[in-house]
Amino acid sequence: MKRNSTYKFIAAAMAGVMLTGLFGCGSASGADTSAESGTAAGTESGAEAASAGAADVYWFSDVTGWGPNGWEKGVTTSPFLDAVKEETGITFTIEQPPTDADTKLGLMIASNDLPDLISITDADTIKQLIQSGKVWSMEEFLQTYDPESHLLTDFPEDIKKAVTYKFGGWYSVPSHMNSNDNRKVNPPSSQVYVDNVTKGHNSAIMFNQTIMDELGITQEDVQTEEGFYQACELVKNSGYTVDGQSVFPVMLHADKWINSSLDGVIAETFGVAPVDEDGNYRHKELNPGYKKALSFVNNLIRNGYLDINSLTIDEAALKTYIEGGRVFCWIGNPAQSSKKETVPFVSYGPILAETKARPIVPVSLQAGSGWIQTFVSKDCENPEQIAKMLSFATSREGMFLNEYGVEGVDYTLDDKGIATRTEEGNQRFETDYKKNIALWPFANTDFAWSTQAPPAEGTDGAVFNQVSTAIGKYEDTYIYDSDLLSFQDGNVIEPSSDLGIKVSQVKSYLESQKAKIVSATTDEQFEKEYESMLETLEGYSITEIDAEYNKMLQQNYEAYGETIENVNADLY
């Protein structure tokens, strides 16, 4: 397609945060997976690709920071990118807007000026894109341009069913696939990865073990609400420094603190359920327990444990504080701290509420629909080469190249199909790639967890696995199937309808109002802003919105044979 100059925006490279195995993995065969070993099923040979000519593919994503460090600006490449060019003739021009990505894509849809490839996560934008009729059905696309593609025969059926149920059809290639069918060919290599599947969570309460040891703080001190505040007070007044710089008692997930911290593990540690006492859908903000979560953050700010200015910094700035060892407790997505070997974080699961509420955690227990969904525009200029590229990228050869590099150079395979980085591979991984070799849209969770040995104690992977499963493994935690709420990601309320407009208004309002509530300087102001939130939500027809969501939730209950219980209904 011809790109409108309005959208020729190349995002500044952000430090990659994905560690191998944190988001994807699977089983391996002993097949040669080097870039020199030829082609995977359904791909062209290098000679055939060369004859097809070079193709520059414009690739847009609403997720930033993935791929080898600097690759989007042409500074670096990777074995996978080299192989894609050799096999298909494709190079990429990548756009990863750090802000307003979905707004930009919406304008592209409206102006009929779509990128060739679109890798996105926002549910409303995905729905808009599919309803526009401007992207291919994956079945039709592959049948037309690569009828021998392995994706037409071995794409996991349960994931196809999940994607179809969620989005109305198989329109995308999902990243980070995780399902029973996918694990039949990619069985987990250890119990660690089984725990990741059944207990893993992307929001955690993590403590810097070094600071705990230095100040004599124990697990018992920090695992109750009262004890946690006392530990923060100790850190605040300790005079403890790291390289002459003061430490922060608490940090949330920077400018993503609402989704990754407040609405994540904080609300969950206080037992906030997304349903009422009868199991009917209810915005969690209407759950009285949510007031406890807001009060918790407010207390952190008012007592000087959490610097309110840290809620407006970006992830890159957050990482400098975390990786510098200057944060005692940080609450958010554990994948965002990559130097865990030098900053030994540990999680004890929840901070137990004074109300005695049971922690409540959502875990995807059905076949997942993946994370990043990659679509192909019907107006793409090189459809055959793009089809071949998708087939290659999702082949075992492509997945090994994307995850590890070249066999015999960057990694070796043992007789069980477990990959181990070579000394040279480790060096490149740590320096050239800044611990992020993979293009996330082609990461496969089950593949990665199948081809990796259990992480050694004290390594980045071991720390990540411990903190990300801690609240799920806590003995009193109530786990519900997050897939029952998959309707939130799309197909209930038409965005352009009157009620759909109110849904959009609710999202915008809650973001600003939650900031007002947690930054209240007095109890009276806190109560005023909290009550204002409830009244305003009622004015935005929140009851009608919840009723529409509840219709789909009840359908999901019947379809999955499961329900969500509000186990703290007697408390809140």
Side-chain angles (χ1 to χ4, degrees):
M1 63 166 286
K2 292 181 172 61
R3 295 191 290 275
N4 187 315
S5 60
T6 303
Y7 305 115
K8 287 184 180 178
F9 174 88
I10 303 300
M14 293 179 65
V17 299
M18 173 177 165
L19 303 177
T20 298
L22 298 193
F23 299 106
C25 284
S27 67
S29 68
D32 185 357
T33 57
S34 67
E36 292 83 4
S37 66
T39 63
T43 63
E44 287 184 308
S45 69
E48 289 172 332
S51 67
D56 180 49
V57 171
Y58 175 31
W59 193 358
F60 182 95
S61 176
D62 66 0
V63 179
T64 62
W66 48 265
N69 187 50
W71 79 282
E72 78 278 25
K73 295 191 290 187
V75 177
T76 58
T77 183
S78 73
F80 174 78
L81 289 167
D82 292 341
V84 165
K85 184 177 181 180
E86 178 183 349
E87 296 290 337
T88 69
I90 282 178
T91 56
F92 298 108
T93 296
I94 179 71
E95 182 175 356
Q96 299 173 320
T99 59
D100 298 327
D102 299 310
T103 300
K104 291 189 178 190
L105 185 57
L107 292 172
M108 293 181 192
I109 295 171
S111 62
N112 197 28
D113 188 28
L114 285 180
D116 302 308
L117 275 182
I118 305 155
S119 295
I120 57 176
T121 60
D122 182 77
D124 291 336
T125 307
I126 288 172
K127 183 178 180 181
Q128 182 184 5
L129 187 63
I130 292 172
Q131 289 183 340
S132 74
K134 296 172 183 176
V135 292
W136 282 97
S137 154
M138 199 53 59
E139 187 97 25
E140 183 182 1
F141 178 66
L142 293 171
Q143 288 285 11
T144 303
Y145 294 108
D146 190 14
E148 300 301 315
S149 173
H150 72 94
L151 287 169
L152 291 170
T153 58
D154 67 9
F155 188 84
E157 282 298 321
D158 54 359
I159 292 178
K160 183 183 292 186
K161 182 179 178 180
V163 170
T164 299
Y165 184 67
K166 188 171 185 178
F167 302 125
W170 182 30
Y171 292 95
S172 59
V173 174
S175 75
H176 303 87
M177 294 193 296
N178 174 2
S179 78
N180 288 330
D181 285 350
N182 202 31
R183 283 188 290 276
K184 288 176 182 176
V185 293
N186 300 299
S189 66
S190 77
Q191 183 62 39
V192 167
Y193 300 127
V194 175
D195 290 343
N196 283 348
V197 170
T198 59
K199 308 289 186 183
H201 194 37
N202 62 359
S203 187
I205 300 169
M206 297 155 279
F207 295 94
N208 185 319
Q209 187 70 64
T210 298
I211 296 177
M212 290 184 70
D213 292 344
E214 289 287 336
L215 299 182
I217 299 171
T218 67
Q219 173 179 348
E220 290 71 23
D221 294 332
V222 297
Q223 200 156 20
T224 65
E225 192 177 349
E226 181 181 359
F228 176 76
Y229 291 139
Q230 291 175 352
C232 290
E233 186 71 18
L234 173 60
V235 174
K236 175 186 172 183
N237 297 320
S238 66
Y240 184 83
T241 61
V242 176
D243 296 330
Q245 295 180 303
S246 60
V247 299
F248 299 88
V250 182
M251 272 199 172
L252 305 189
H253 201 133
D255 56 4
K256 295 178 174 59
W257 67 274
I258 293 178
N259 289 333
S260 291
S261 306
L262 173 62
D263 290 353
V265 73
I266 294 175
E268 292 155 4
T269 201
F270 289 109
V272 178
V275 295
D276 63 19
E277 63 273 14
D278 297 318
N280 294 313
Y281 182 83
R282 178 175 64 181
H283 262 74
K284 58 182 171 290
E285 289 82 4
L286 301 182
N287 185 318
Y290 193 77
K291 185 177 182 181
K292 280 288 299 179
L294 291 165
S295 178
F296 175 78
V297 178
N298 180 241
N299 285 337
L300 296 179
I301 294 172
R302 286 170 62 181
N303 287 304
Y305 309 145
L306 172 64
D307 184 345
I308 195 170
N309 295 311
S310 69
L311 302 182
T312 58
I313 64 175
D314 60 20
E315 285 184 344
L318 170 71
K319 283 165 65 72
T320 63
Y321 294 115
I322 295 172
E323 294 176 359
R326 296 181 59 197
V327 181
F328 167 62
C329 172
W330 96 271
I331 303 173
N333 188 334
Q336 301 307 318
S337 176
S338 60
K339 294 184 178 179
K340 301 178 185 68
E341 292 180 56
T342 54
V343 186
F345 282 104
V346 63
S347 177
Y348 306 111
I351 295 173
L352 300 174
E354 294 174 350
T355 60
K356 308 300 182 185
R358 287 181 64 184
I360 296 178
V361 173
V363 175
S364 176
L365 301 176
Q366 305 292 324
S369 54
W371 177 35
I372 304 171
Q373 306 293 325
T374 296
F375 300 87
V376 180
S377 167
K378 287 184 176 179
D379 290 334
C380 65
E381 290 186 343
N382 302 282
E384 184 171 356
Q385 286 167 279
I386 290 175
K388 301 290 186 184
M389 183 277 296
L390 290 177
S391 299
F392 175 76
T394 53
S395 70
R396 293 194 68 76
E397 178 182 358
M399 289 191 292
F400 269 104
L401 286 164
N402 192 40
E403 190 78 25
Y404 302 110
V406 177
E407 184 180 1
V409 178
D410 298 301
Y411 72 97
T412 59
L413 280 180
D414 66 15
D415 57 2
K416 296 181 180 178
I418 302 299
T420 302
R421 293 192 190 280
T422 62
E423 183 176 348
E424 179 181 349
N426 267 322
Q427 177 67 21
R428 295 177 69 190
F429 187 59
E430 296 286 340
T431 55
D432 295 350
Y433 306 129
K434 301 292 180 66
K435 294 192 176 183
N436 190 32
I437 186 176
L439 273 61
W440 295 353
F442 300 133
N444 183 316
T445 299
D446 289 324
F447 168 80
W449 285 343
S450 178
T451 52
Q452 293 173 17
E457 185 175 352
T459 62
D460 289 359
V463 173
F464 174 86
N465 289 326
Q466 192 279 315
V467 298
S468 64
T469 60
I471 191 167
K473 293 170 74 173
Y474 181 72
E475 60 183 1
D476 198 37
T477 292
Y478 170 70
I479 293 177
Y480 70 86
D481 189 348
S482 62
D483 292 301
L484 293 169
L485 298 173
S486 62
F487 61 85
Q488 289 188 0
D489 296 331
N491 307 312
V492 179
I493 300 173
E494 173 57 47
S496 60
S497 68
D498 289 343
L499 200 58
I501 291 171
K502 289 183 177 180
V503 170
S504 179
Q505 291 172 327
V506 165
K507 289 181 179 178
S508 298
Y509 169 74
L510 284 176
E511 183 171 352
S512 61
Q513 186 62 18
K514 288 174 186 180
K516 286 184 180 179
I517 295 171
V518 301
S519 60
T521 56
T522 65
D523 291 343
E524 293 74 19
Q525 185 184 2
F526 178 91
E527 291 293 334
K528 178 182 177 182
E529 296 294 351
Y530 176 75
E531 291 300 325
S532 176
M533 179 184 74
L534 298 182
E535 292 173 7
T536 304
L537 288 176
E538 194 59 40
Y540 282 139
S541 302
I542 197 70
T543 302
E544 289 86 347
I545 291 170
D546 283 357
E548 291 300 313
Y549 283 146
N550 188 55
K551 291 177 184 178
M552 184 61 74
L553 178 59
Q554 299 304 316
Q555 291 180 30
N556 287 353
Y557 282 170
E558 184 174 353
Y560 295 155
E562 299 178 24
T563 60
I564 302 173
E565 182 182 355
N566 185 348
V567 296
N568 297 309
D570 58 333
L571 297 176
Y572 299 134

